[in-house]
mmCIF file of all heavy atoms in Angstrom:
data_model
loop_
_atom_site.group_PDB
_atom_site.id
_atom_site.type_symbol
_atom_site.label_atom_id
_atom_site.label_comp_id
_atom_site.label_asym_id
_atom_site.label_seq_id
_atom_site.Cartn_x
_atom_site.Cartn_y
_atom_site.Cartn_z
ATOM 1 N N ALA A 148 102.026 44.795 37.204
ATOM 2 C CA ALA A 148 101.179 45.481 38.117
ATOM 3 C C ALA A 148 101.247 44.905 39.555
ATOM 4 O O ALA A 148 100.906 45.566 40.496
ATOM 5 C CB ALA A 148 99.731 45.487 37.606
ATOM 6 N N ARG A 149 101.738 43.686 39.680
ATOM 7 C CA ARG A 149 101.852 43.042 40.948
ATOM 8 C C ARG A 149 103.157 43.394 41.671
ATOM 9 O O ARG A 149 103.389 42.948 42.835
ATOM 10 C CB ARG A 149 101.784 41.570 40.851
ATOM 11 C CG ARG A 149 100.476 40.983 40.496
ATOM 12 C CD ARG A 149 100.641 39.447 40.500
ATOM 13 N NE ARG A 149 99.406 38.737 40.438
ATOM 14 C CZ ARG A 149 99.243 37.478 40.784
ATOM 15 N NH1 ARG A 149 100.177 36.834 41.369
ATOM 16 N NH2 ARG A 149 98.096 36.860 40.654
ATOM 17 N N LEU A 150 104.139 44.003 40.989
ATOM 18 C CA LEU A 150 105.360 44.300 41.557
ATOM 19 C C LEU A 150 105.167 45.339 42.673
ATOM 20 O O LEU A 150 104.361 46.233 42.607
ATOM 21 C CB LEU A 150 106.308 44.967 40.563
ATOM 22 C CG LEU A 150 106.940 43.971 39.497
ATOM 23 C CD1 LEU A 150 107.654 44.802 38.409
ATOM 24 C CD2 LEU A 150 107.934 43.044 40.214
ATOM 25 N N GLN A 151 105.847 45.100 43.829
ATOM 26 C CA GLN A 151 105.721 46.031 44.918
ATOM 27 C C GLN A 151 106.369 47.291 44.579
ATOM 28 O O GLN A 151 107.510 47.335 44.204
ATOM 29 C CB GLN A 151 106.413 45.440 46.187
ATOM 30 C CG GLN A 151 105.952 44.035 46.613
ATOM 31 C CD GLN A 151 104.593 44.154 47.341
ATOM 32 O OE1 GLN A 151 104.212 45.262 47.876
ATOM 33 N NE2 GLN A 151 103.893 43.097 47.396
ATOM 34 N N PRO A 152 105.675 48.434 44.795
ATOM 35 C CA PRO A 152 106.306 49.731 44.480
ATOM 36 C C PRO A 152 107.490 49.898 45.417
ATOM 37 O O PRO A 152 107.473 49.582 46.563
ATOM 38 C CB PRO A 152 105.223 50.700 44.821
ATOM 39 C CG PRO A 152 104.012 50.033 45.130
ATOM 40 C CD PRO A 152 104.297 48.553 45.284
ATOM 41 N N GLY A 153 108.610 50.395 44.805
ATOM 42 C CA GLY A 153 109.775 50.691 45.706
ATOM 43 C C GLY A 153 110.684 49.513 45.869
ATOM 44 O O GLY A 153 111.810 49.696 46.365
ATOM 45 N N VAL A 154 110.238 48.321 45.514
ATOM 46 C CA VAL A 154 111.103 47.167 45.695
ATOM 47 C C VAL A 154 111.949 47.001 44.382
ATOM 48 O O VAL A 154 111.465 47.044 43.304
ATOM 49 C CB VAL A 154 110.253 45.866 45.976
ATOM 50 C CG1 VAL A 154 111.164 44.633 45.982
ATOM 51 C CG2 VAL A 154 109.507 45.977 47.292
ATOM 52 N N ASP A 155 113.215 46.738 44.685
ATOM 53 C CA ASP A 155 114.140 46.560 43.508
ATOM 54 C C ASP A 155 113.864 45.222 42.942
ATOM 55 O O ASP A 155 114.109 44.176 43.406
ATOM 56 C CB ASP A 155 115.542 46.593 44.090
ATOM 57 C CG ASP A 155 116.473 47.334 43.168
ATOM 58 O OD1 ASP A 155 115.896 47.897 42.176
ATOM 59 O OD2 ASP A 155 117.676 47.481 43.417
ATOM 60 N N ALA A 156 113.194 45.224 41.680
ATOM 61 C CA ALA A 156 112.826 43.949 41.067
ATOM 62 C C ALA A 156 113.969 43.376 40.290
ATOM 63 O O ALA A 156 114.683 44.096 39.565
ATOM 64 C CB ALA A 156 111.621 44.177 40.196
ATOM 65 N N SER A 157 114.145 42.067 40.427
ATOM 66 C CA SER A 157 115.196 41.417 39.649
ATOM 67 C C SER A 157 114.492 40.542 38.590
ATOM 68 O O SER A 157 113.237 40.337 38.617
ATOM 69 C CB SER A 157 116.019 40.468 40.543
ATOM 70 O OG SER A 157 115.219 39.446 41.026
ATOM 71 N N VAL A 158 115.236 40.030 37.632
ATOM 72 C CA VAL A 158 114.719 39.162 36.602
ATOM 73 C C VAL A 158 114.104 37.910 37.286
ATOM 74 O O VAL A 158 112.999 37.504 36.894
ATOM 75 C CB VAL A 158 115.806 38.778 35.589
ATOM 76 C CG1 VAL A 158 115.362 37.552 34.744
ATOM 77 C CG2 VAL A 158 116.156 39.934 34.760
ATOM 78 N N GLU A 159 114.793 37.398 38.252
ATOM 79 C CA GLU A 159 114.287 36.201 38.964
ATOM 80 C C GLU A 159 112.963 36.478 39.701
ATOM 81 O O GLU A 159 112.088 35.682 39.668
ATOM 82 C CB GLU A 159 115.395 35.730 39.979
ATOM 83 C CG GLU A 159 116.594 35.147 39.423
ATOM 84 C CD GLU A 159 117.511 36.175 38.745
ATOM 85 O OE1 GLU A 159 117.471 37.367 39.181
ATOM 86 O OE2 GLU A 159 118.289 35.801 37.900
ATOM 87 N N THR A 160 112.911 37.633 40.350
ATOM 88 C CA THR A 160 111.658 37.975 41.043
ATOM 89 C C THR A 160 110.545 38.027 40.046
ATOM 90 O O THR A 160 109.447 37.537 40.231
ATOM 91 C CB THR A 160 111.751 39.322 41.769
ATOM 92 O OG1 THR A 160 112.954 39.484 42.355
ATOM 93 C CG2 THR A 160 110.567 39.623 42.659
ATOM 94 N N PHE A 161 110.770 38.700 38.883
ATOM 95 C CA PHE A 161 109.741 38.870 37.872
ATOM 96 C C PHE A 161 109.338 37.500 37.294
ATOM 97 O O PHE A 161 108.142 37.243 37.035
ATOM 98 C CB PHE A 161 110.131 39.829 36.808
ATOM 99 C CG PHE A 161 108.976 40.289 35.984
ATOM 100 C CD1 PHE A 161 108.009 41.119 36.558
ATOM 101 C CD2 PHE A 161 108.813 39.802 34.697
ATOM 102 C CE1 PHE A 161 106.845 41.434 35.786
ATOM 103 C CE2 PHE A 161 107.699 40.152 33.942
ATOM 104 C CZ PHE A 161 106.736 41.049 34.468
ATOM 105 N N ASP A 162 110.332 36.620 37.099
ATOM 106 C CA ASP A 162 110.040 35.230 36.613
ATOM 107 C C ASP A 162 108.953 34.601 37.524
ATOM 108 O O ASP A 162 108.034 34.021 36.997
ATOM 109 C CB ASP A 162 111.282 34.372 36.754
ATOM 110 C CG ASP A 162 112.174 34.336 35.513
ATOM 111 O OD1 ASP A 162 111.717 34.761 34.493
ATOM 112 O OD2 ASP A 162 113.345 33.919 35.630
ATOM 113 N N ARG A 163 109.229 34.726 38.847
ATOM 114 C CA ARG A 163 108.312 34.112 39.769
ATOM 115 C C ARG A 163 106.968 34.757 39.756
ATOM 116 O O ARG A 163 105.921 34.086 39.697
ATOM 117 C CB ARG A 163 108.978 34.144 41.197
ATOM 118 C CG ARG A 163 108.184 33.472 42.245
ATOM 119 C CD ARG A 163 108.832 33.509 43.628
ATOM 120 N NE ARG A 163 109.253 34.843 44.005
ATOM 121 C CZ ARG A 163 108.463 35.872 44.373
ATOM 122 N NH1 ARG A 163 107.165 35.667 44.411
ATOM 123 N NH2 ARG A 163 108.969 37.069 44.671
ATOM 124 N N ILE A 164 106.931 36.062 39.756
ATOM 125 C CA ILE A 164 105.672 36.800 39.797
ATOM 126 C C ILE A 164 104.847 36.492 38.525
ATOM 127 O O ILE A 164 103.642 36.221 38.625
ATOM 128 C CB ILE A 164 105.867 38.321 39.924
ATOM 129 C CG1 ILE A 164 106.461 38.610 41.340
ATOM 130 C CG2 ILE A 164 104.600 39.106 39.767
ATOM 131 C CD1 ILE A 164 106.911 40.061 41.494
ATOM 132 N N LEU A 165 105.510 36.475 37.418
ATOM 133 C CA LEU A 165 104.824 36.182 36.152
ATOM 134 C C LEU A 165 104.259 34.726 36.187
ATOM 135 O O LEU A 165 103.121 34.490 35.846
ATOM 136 C CB LEU A 165 105.797 36.323 35.004
ATOM 137 C CG LEU A 165 105.247 36.060 33.568
ATOM 138 C CD1 LEU A 165 104.056 37.040 33.272
ATOM 139 C CD2 LEU A 165 106.293 36.235 32.499
ATOM 140 N N ALA A 166 105.074 33.786 36.604
ATOM 141 C CA ALA A 166 104.627 32.340 36.641
ATOM 142 C C ALA A 166 103.493 32.216 37.604
ATOM 143 O O ALA A 166 102.502 31.517 37.287
ATOM 144 C CB ALA A 166 105.821 31.458 37.031
ATOM 145 N N GLU A 167 103.572 32.827 38.744
ATOM 146 C CA GLU A 167 102.521 32.747 39.732
ATOM 147 C C GLU A 167 101.213 33.379 39.267
ATOM 148 O O GLU A 167 100.101 32.955 39.595
ATOM 149 C CB GLU A 167 102.949 33.405 41.041
ATOM 150 C CG GLU A 167 103.881 32.538 41.883
ATOM 151 C CD GLU A 167 104.539 33.207 43.053
ATOM 152 O OE1 GLU A 167 104.179 34.345 43.288
ATOM 153 O OE2 GLU A 167 105.316 32.565 43.707
ATOM 154 N N SER A 168 101.376 34.445 38.439
ATOM 155 C CA SER A 168 100.164 35.114 37.947
ATOM 156 C C SER A 168 99.538 34.319 36.803
ATOM 157 O O SER A 168 98.361 34.496 36.418
ATOM 158 C CB SER A 168 100.423 36.529 37.530
ATOM 159 O OG SER A 168 101.150 36.559 36.284
ATOM 160 N N LEU A 169 100.272 33.346 36.234
ATOM 161 C CA LEU A 169 99.715 32.489 35.119
ATOM 162 C C LEU A 169 98.956 31.306 35.585
ATOM 163 O O LEU A 169 97.973 30.892 35.017
ATOM 164 C CB LEU A 169 100.863 32.136 34.238
ATOM 165 C CG LEU A 169 101.432 33.214 33.289
ATOM 166 C CD1 LEU A 169 102.655 32.697 32.556
ATOM 167 C CD2 LEU A 169 100.388 33.595 32.287
ATOM 168 N N SER A 170 99.508 30.604 36.643
ATOM 169 C CA SER A 170 98.838 29.373 37.047
ATOM 170 C C SER A 170 99.443 28.959 38.416
ATOM 171 O O SER A 170 100.442 29.550 38.866
ATOM 172 C CB SER A 170 99.022 28.278 36.063
ATOM 173 O OG SER A 170 100.335 27.694 36.205
ATOM 174 N N ASP A 171 98.839 27.899 39.027
ATOM 175 C CA ASP A 171 99.375 27.399 40.281
ATOM 176 C C ASP A 171 100.490 26.338 40.048
ATOM 177 O O ASP A 171 101.010 25.793 40.956
ATOM 178 C CB ASP A 171 98.213 26.662 41.023
ATOM 179 C CG ASP A 171 97.191 27.685 41.451
ATOM 180 O OD1 ASP A 171 97.528 28.864 41.611
ATOM 181 O OD2 ASP A 171 96.007 27.285 41.611
ATOM 182 N N ALA A 172 100.767 26.122 38.725
ATOM 183 C CA ALA A 172 101.796 25.103 38.425
ATOM 184 C C ALA A 172 103.157 25.534 38.884
ATOM 185 O O ALA A 172 103.360 26.721 39.158
ATOM 186 C CB ALA A 172 101.797 24.821 36.950
ATOM 187 N N PRO A 173 104.114 24.628 38.999
ATOM 188 C CA PRO A 173 105.475 24.973 39.530
ATOM 189 C C PRO A 173 106.044 26.087 38.610
ATOM 190 O O PRO A 173 105.779 26.077 37.417
ATOM 191 C CB PRO A 173 106.261 23.711 39.361
ATOM 192 C CG PRO A 173 105.312 22.628 39.068
ATOM 193 C CD PRO A 173 104.028 23.200 38.666
ATOM 194 N N VAL A 174 106.925 26.884 39.150
ATOM 195 C CA VAL A 174 107.646 27.956 38.338
ATOM 196 C C VAL A 174 108.567 27.224 37.392
ATOM 197 O O VAL A 174 109.444 26.556 37.876
ATOM 198 C CB VAL A 174 108.325 28.931 39.272
ATOM 199 C CG1 VAL A 174 109.089 29.991 38.468
ATOM 200 C CG2 VAL A 174 107.340 29.601 40.209
#
Side-chain angles (χ1 to χ4, degrees):
R149 287 185 172 200
L150 285 170
Q151 303 283 340
V154 172
D155 220 2
S157 64
V158 166
E159 289 73 25
T160 316
F161 194 71
D162 268 345
R163 184 180 47 74
I164 293 172
L165 180 60
E167 284 171 359
S168 71
L169 284 173
S170 79
D171 296 333
V174 178

